[in-house]
Amino acid sequence: LKDAELLGTEGIITVGEPFSEELSQVIRRMERRGVPVVLVDTDMPLSGRSCYIGSDNYGAGRLAAEKIIQDTGGSGDIVVFVSRLDVGNQSERLTGFQDKIEEQGHMKIVQVCQGEADKATVQEQIRQVTEDYPDLKAIFFAEATSAKQAGVFLRETHLGEGITIIGFDMGNEVVNCVRDGIFAATVAQQGGQMGYQAVKYLLKKTAANRKWDTEGQRNPGGETERNSGQMSETDGREETGEGADGKIYTEVLLITGE
C-alpha cells in the first residue's frame, strides 16, 4: 500500500486486517489525500476506508442454522467453531446463527470453540466435544480454515458420523467433504462478486474525484477542497444506492451434495 501511495495510485482495493494499526494508519492517510480505499472480505470500520464489500455474514449464519434445523429435525445440541470471537465477520456469522436457533427454540448451542486457526487445537476440540456432548447433533464451522482442518480430521477418524456438519467457503477439502457426505453442506461466499462490486465502486468513486479535482482546489497537503454541499473525502463515506454506511453486501449460497 505504501508503494502504491508513492506511485500516485487513484484508488486501492485490498483485504482488511482488523488487528493491524499500521494498516489503519496507512488507510487514513490515503483517504485524507483523496485516495479511496475499498476493503473486501474483512472490514476495518475505524480505519476511515471509503467502503467495505463483503458477504452478508449475519445472513450466512442464519442460512447455516436453517440447514441444521431442517436436517436434524430441530432437536439436539450444537457446537460452533470460530478462529476468534473478536473477528468481526465471524462474530456476525455467529450472531445470525444464534438468532435463528433461538427463534426455533428447541435446539441449543452448547459450546463455541475458538480454534485460533490452529490445526492441532481444532482437532483436539472436535475430539473433546464429540465425547462431552452425547446429544450433539450438529456442528457449524463459521470460517474456512477450521472447516478445512476439521474435514481432514473427520475423514480419518469418522467422529462426525451421525452429526450434521456445515462447513464454510469452497476450499478443495471442504468441497470434497460435501461431495463425500462428511459435511451436509457448506456456506459459500462469492469472491468474484466482491471483486466485481469493488471495481465498480472504485471506478465510480475515482470518476467523481476527478470531477471534484477540476471544480475544487488541490492544496499542498494533497487533500481536496470541494464546493459547499459536497461530501468531504475525509469522511470515508459515500451516499450510494446501498446506503450511507459504506458497506455493500454480496449474497451467500448454501452448497449441498445433492
Side-chain angles (χ1 to χ4, degrees):
L1 283 181
K2 291 177 181 177
D3 289 344
E5 184 180 15
L6 292 173
L7 290 171
T9 302
E10 289 187 72
I12 294 288
I13 299 171
T14 189
V15 178
E17 173 47 66
F19 306 105
S20 174
E21 180 55 33
E22 182 179 12
L23 179 57
S24 286
Q25 291 175 0
V26 174
I27 292 172
R28 290 188 196 104
R29 185 168 66 246
M30 296 185 81
E31 290 281 353
R32 284 196 300 269
R33 294 180 177 178
V35 179
V37 178
V38 178
L39 298 181
V40 296
D41 188 52
T42 305
D43 197 9
M44 300 173 68
L46 299 181
S47 68
R49 85 292 185 266
S50 287
C51 187
Y52 162 69
I53 298 175
S55 298
D56 176 4
N57 288 299
Y58 180 84
R62 291 185 66 90
L63 192 62
E66 289 168 1
K67 177 62 174 172
I68 284 174
I69 293 167
Q70 174 187 323
D71 283 13
T72 61
S75 64
D77 294 340
I78 306 170
V79 170
V80 180
F81 280 79
V82 298
S83 61
R84 294 174 57 164
L85 282 170
D86 55 0
V87 176
N89 51 12
Q90 293 180 46
S91 65
E92 289 172 9
R93 291 167 202 158
L94 177 60
T95 299
F97 188 85
Q98 289 171 324
D99 286 353
K100 182 61 183 179
I101 294 300
E102 288 175 6
E103 288 172 13
Q104 188 263 353
H106 300 293
M107 302 194 78
K108 180 181 179 183
I109 300 171
V110 291
Q111 187 170 336
V112 177
C113 297
Q114 298 185 74
E116 300 285 345
D118 178 74
K119 180 179 178 180
T121 300
V122 170
Q123 292 181 350
E124 179 55 34
Q125 288 173 334
I126 291 171
R127 190 182 300 278
Q128 196 66 49
V129 298
T130 53
E131 292 176 0
D132 290 348
Y133 303 108
D135 197 32
L136 182 62
K137 292 297 189 293
I139 296 175
F140 172 42
F141 293 97
E143 52 90 25
T145 302
S146 62
K148 172 187 174 181
Q149 294 164 342
V152 175
F153 185 64
L154 292 168
R155 187 182 295 278
E156 296 172 350
T157 62
H158 306 286
L159 287 174
E161 291 182 357
I163 300 173
T164 297
I165 300 172
I166 308 297
F168 200 84
D169 242 337
M170 293 290 287
N172 288 339
E173 180 59 35
V174 173
V175 171
N176 289 339
C177 282
V178 173
R179 180 198 63 198
D180 297 338
I182 299 169
F183 289 3
T186 186
V187 178
Q189 302 184 98
Q190 299 194 70
Q193 267 299 310
M194 292 184 205
Y196 175 83
Q197 293 295 337
V199 172
K200 180 180 177 181
Y201 177 93
L202 200 57
L203 287 172
K204 177 181 176 182
K205 186 80 168 178
T206 53
N209 283 356
R210 292 191 196 104
K211 178 181 178 182
W212 284 334
D213 285 344
T214 61
E215 295 177 351
Q217 300 177 20
R218 179 70 68 178
N219 66 29
E223 298 178 5
T224 303
E225 297 176 356
R226 302 187 179 84
N227 298 330
S228 61
Q230 292 179 317
M231 185 199 72
S232 167
E233 186 67 29
T234 57
D235 288 343
R237 297 291 185 272
E238 177 179 288
E239 290 284 349
T240 71
E242 295 79 16
D245 62 351
K247 294 183 179 182
I248 299 173
Y249 292 118
T250 56
E251 186 182 9
V252 292
L253 305 172
L254 187 72
I255 307 299
T256 69
E258 299 174 357

